[in-house]
Each structure stands twice: as C-alpha cells, then as structure tokens.
Amino acid sequence: MRVVVVGGGVLGTFHAWEAVRRGYDVLQLERELEARGASVRNFGLVWVSGRADGAEVELAQRARDLWAQVPGVGLRAAGSLTVCRTDAELAVAKEAAARPDAAARGFQVLDAEQTRGRNPALKGELQGSLWCARDVIVEPREVLPALRAELQKSGRYRFLGGREVRNVRTGEVVDDHGDVHAGDLVFLCTGAWHGGLIRELTDDLPVRRVRLQMMQTAPLEDTLTTAVADGDSFRYYPAFNGPAVGELPPQTPVAEEHRMQLLMVQRTHGGLTIGDTHEYDEPFGFDVQSDPYAYLQQVVESILGRELPAITRRWAGVYSQATSDEVVVRREVAAGVQLVTGPGGRGMTMSPAIAEASFDAIEGARAASDGEVTR
C-alpha cells in the first residue's frame, strides 16, 4: 500500500513514520522547502505531566514511550521542575502529588534544597517545586530532519518540499507543479492551515488557531539539568485543576492579559528557549509585543538569580487547537482521505501516539470489513 502524507510538520512526519514502520511506501509533501510552522517554533517538550485525565494523558503516556523508541532524535529524559515561589503555589504542587496517578505522572514535591539539588542553576528565591519525571526534551529545529534521515534508510520513503497541494481525490493528490501522486491512503496533516483546500473539503471543523510569542537567548554559562516552568503553568494545564488552584492570587496584569505561563528549556548549544503567550482572537497582529518578553525576562532572572544572557531571537507561532472535547480532530473528508488536525500545544508531545492511533483505527476498520465479507 502507498501512503501520501500532506504536511511536513511533526504530526505529518510521525504519520509517515508509522506508515513506514508498518511496511507501507510513503510520499510526504510539504508546501515549504522545510516545515516552518509550530513544529519548529516550540519548546521541544514532550510534556506528560499536566495533561487532562482520561484519553489525553493516556495518549501522552503512550507517546512518551514511543518517542523513546525513535533513534536519532536526541531525546533527553531531563524531567521538569515547576518552581513554586509562594505558599499558594506549593499547595498546588502538594495537591498534584497527592493525586491517585501521581506516580504514573512522575510527580514528587521537592523543597528548596532538593530543587536546587535537582537543578543547581536555580539560584533565585523559591520555596520548592513539583518534579515531573516523565517530561522529556527534544530539539524542535533538529528533530524533523533527524526523523526523515531515519525514514530514508527504509528505502520506502520520499520527501518533496516546495509542493502545495491543490486537489485531493480518492486515490490521488495533485500539487501546484501539476504532478499527480497516487495513494491508497492520504493523510492531511496541514497544521494551522484551515482555509483553501481544507475548507473546500470540510467547512465545519471544531478548531481554532492560537498565536504565541517566544524567545531565545545566547548561551547561558550554566547548565539547566531539567526543563523549568513557573507557578502560572498550574493555571494552564488541566491536571492541576483543583481547590488549590482556586486559591492562587491573581496573575500580574501583563501575564493575565497575554494568558502567560513560563516554560524554559536549555538548547544543546546552551541558549534558553523561553515563553510563552496565548492569543485566541483573530485577526492576529503581525508584530510581536515587548511587554510579555520583559515580563518573562524578569521571571526567569528571579528564578535563576542572575541576569539573562542577551536575547538573540524573538518569534511568533500559530498552531491549530481543537475546540471540541477531542484530543485531536480526525475526519474522513473523502474515501481513503483522512484529515488530522487540532492537537494544539500537545502536538510535539503526542504526535507519535496520534499517528499510531490513526493507523490502528483504519486497519481495525478494514479488518472488520474483511471479516464481514468472508462470513
């Protein structure tokens, strides 16, 4: 069977990975020469700890295990520390660590000394932290080429960049070069591209676009041994919903206005990726705003107890997020044509498991159909 994957981001690339793993021939098309969307504009966090109960955390846990099986992507099992600087934040951490599934999520409350023992770079004032052992790190600007390099070894994979898909029909895809690509199965993993062809195929998707701002520093003359979050992330991630979150004081005005949390990851070159903001109402601005960056710098410096290195890059990104209760939105938009979109900020975390589930569902349905025919 031949599979065509439209979209070169992490979700599309893992659908290509899963197809090759199952023995299929794969062609992957990407409208840019390289993916330039949310898949390369994120923290590179495989973030299990904060996921919602039920299907979401189950999928995240499965994805975490699948990431560990992928060679060549430089997975770092660093874990994360959500730094608590107030009694109210520490109360949330303790409530999370008392959950029935705390061990499965890798939760443990650390005091200030234990926190600095786990990550000595955290030299600022803090009262403790929530340690999350299951969270891991990859390099978002490097992981897609690494995945494609592994796929090439199969002899059953081809990547074509600079090809925008103009038409999709059962059994074939037509690109803007006029080339027709045959496929027994087509996956549309087009990220935040909701218009054009996608709207022609289906116009009732329960998705929205979300814009974020992030930044990166020059190398830090210290080593962050874990990913780092601040107490505002307790407000953002559903696993922490509970009475203690309701007792948190209001956010600062800039953090509340931009729906902010701090996430921070040190890249392999030593620089820090820091973010982020969340903007939900379109049309989005075309510029980046300075206030959130200044606020993030202040928070990071208070946690590190030192000045940040120079900011070398600032950027904005947009991702597709489901507005329904679905973890990811799947729709069959034509016979043999599957649209997969809307993982939101969970895309880097969950893509391996989302792709596995896509093929499990299709192969399961075909096996059931074949069984009906033979009976």
Side-chain angles (χ1 to χ4, degrees), residues 153-169:
K153 296 176 183 178
S154 70
R156 290 182 279 107
Y157 169 80
R158 187 161 68 112
F159 176 84
L160 286 179
R163 301 293 184 110
E164 184 170 327
V165 170
R166 292 296 178 83
N167 200 358
V168 177
R169 298 183 288 267

Side-chain angles (χ1 to χ4, degrees), residues 72 137 208 222 225 247 258 304 313 324:
I137 300 169
R208 64 178 175 181
D222 212 338
T225 54
E247 297 300 318
H258 296 282
L304 296 180
R313 294 175 178 171
S324 63

Side-chain angles (χ1 to χ4, degrees), residues 165-176:
V165 170
R166 292 296 178 83
N167 200 358
V168 177
R169 298 183 288 267
T170 299
E172 64 182 28
V173 173
V174 183
D175 68 27
D176 59 352

